[in-house]
Amino acid sequence: MEPKPWRDRIQDEDALLQQLTGLVTEAADRRAEALLEGVADLGTVADVARDIGLSWNAVDKAIKRYERRKVASDGSTTTE
């Protein structure tokens, strides 16, 4: 059996990378939604960060990335 041509392999890998990127984005969105629920429950980003053992900066960045993606996908504009 002859191996798949390299161009076809590149196309296959590109499709796989696109699929994986989508899955990573979806997981990051679900995680950020959970972090937002934590903020609603505990009161602050810092409280959530302490509770799960992360820096407040990491939690804050994850939430802000999610909010920017959400605004971009809604087609809305920010007031910033």
Side-chain angles (χ1 to χ4, degrees):
M1 177 176 221
E2 191 157 322
K4 208 176 219 187
W6 63 270
R7 286 182 178 91
D8 292 342
R9 293 194 326 259
I10 290 172
Q11 286 178 336
D12 291 347
E13 296 306 323
D14 284 345
L16 180 58
L17 285 171
Q18 186 175 9
Q19 180 184 8
L20 292 172
T21 300
L23 291 171
V24 167
T25 301
E26 290 170 9
D29 287 351
R30 289 190 303 270
R31 180 177 182 267
E33 289 167 356
L35 290 169
L36 285 168
E37 286 179 33
V39 171
D41 185 40
L42 298 179
T44 67
V45 167
D47 290 334
V48 171
R50 262 191 299 279
D51 190 73
I52 60 176
L54 292 175
S55 71
W56 74 268
N57 198 18
V59 173
D60 190 56
K61 282 183 178 182
I63 290 170
K64 285 183 178 170
R65 259 186 256 121
Y66 167 72
E67 290 171 340
R68 280 193 302 268
R69 275 194 308 271
K70 192 173 175 185
V71 167
S73 69
D74 290 345
S76 306
T77 58
T78 63
T79 56
E80 296 179 52

